[in-house]
Amino acid sequence: MSVERKKLLRKELFAIRKSSAENKESVTSIQRRLYGKLTSLPYKSLGFYWAIKTEPKITPAVLHWLADSSDHLASLPSTEQDPMRFRLWNPGIEVKARKFSALEPTSSRFTLPELLIIPCLGFDSQKYRLGYGAGWYDRYLASRNGDRPYTIGIAFEECHVDTIYPDSFDIPLDEIITQSEDLA
């Protein structure tokens, strides 16, 4: 697919996601569904995103999961290097705005999360995601080789498209959670 076509698809999906993000019930439903999923999985460490722009806000679900056990660890992406890495985060660790206005923890401890929660601008039934186009998550997953984390995409169901026209470097997710379905 041409770069221009993906730019147009992103523009369309940004508008759809903006409208969806204004629906507080949808956001709350994603948080509930994500927390339910987290409690059903065996993982003790996760990497997640701190929502920017119109991404679904998932931090409340992560905070609830962290409170469930002192064994649980959370981390946030750090884009100081390529591929990105994940820095340990908890409510006591300060975050600062970095690249793309994303908040990154000031912690100096890096982790290799067993589970990775990834924002999706759009997604298709084959569980490919469309992001902002910089490729950070795809490069990170490729760098993990045989030690790839379990991946959950977070999206609004209205951003489900027939295909995102994946490129050879795109990596499908293990599942995608929306406000009303779990594509596993």
Side-chain angles (χ1 to χ4, degrees), residues 5-169:
R5 176 70 179 122
K6 278 197 173 181
K7 278 184 183 179
L8 288 173
L9 183 56
R10 281 187 181 93
K11 186 176 181 178
E12 292 169 18
L13 288 168
F14 268 120
I16 293 168
R17 190 170 76 178
K18 181 179 181 195
S19 175
S20 298
E22 292 170 358
N23 183 332
K24 301 229 183 288
E25 289 177 15
S26 291
V27 174
T28 301
S29 180
I30 287 172
Q31 292 168 355
R32 276 196 312 268
R33 293 175 57 73
L34 175 60
Y35 175 71
K37 177 56 73 173
L38 292 176
T39 61
S40 74
L41 295 171
Y43 307 113
K44 301 289 186 201
S45 67
L46 64 79
F48 75 107
Y49 64 93
W50 199 290
I52 60 171
K53 301 181 183 177
T54 57
E55 294 171 344
K57 292 169 179 49
I58 61 166
T59 305
V62 173
L63 286 169
H64 197 77
W65 178 81
L66 280 172
D68 287 346
S69 172
S70 60
D71 291 336
H72 289 169
L73 295 175
S75 56
L76 289 163
S78 172
T79 56
E80 293 172 2
Q81 292 185 345
D82 194 359
M84 67 182 174
R85 300 184 294 171
F86 282 80
R87 289 182 187 267
L88 182 68
W89 177 83
N90 64 50
I93 295 175
E94 183 182 0
V95 293
K96 292 189 178 202
R98 304 266 192 212
K99 266 186 193 171
F100 316 111
S101 301
L103 294 177
E104 294 185 11
T106 57
S107 167
S108 60
R109 182 173 167 203
F110 291 95
T111 66
L112 290 174
E114 301 169 284
L115 166 66
L116 194 54
I117 304 168
I118 303 172
C120 303
L121 180 55
F123 67 99
D124 63 26
S125 295
Q126 288 70 47
K127 297 181 272 188
Y128 283 101
R129 69 178 277 278
L130 188 66
Y132 298 130
W136 287 99
Y137 283 99
D138 288 318
R139 287 192 306 280
Y140 175 77
L141 292 172
S143 77
R144 292 282 302 263
N145 297 319
D147 186 30
R148 194 188 124 174
Y150 189 82
T151 55
I152 298 176
I154 302 294
F156 292 107
E157 66 186 18
E158 295 85 358
C159 296
H160 190 169
V161 296
D162 290 335
T163 182
I164 65 146
Y165 303 95
D167 289 303
S168 61
F169 52 80

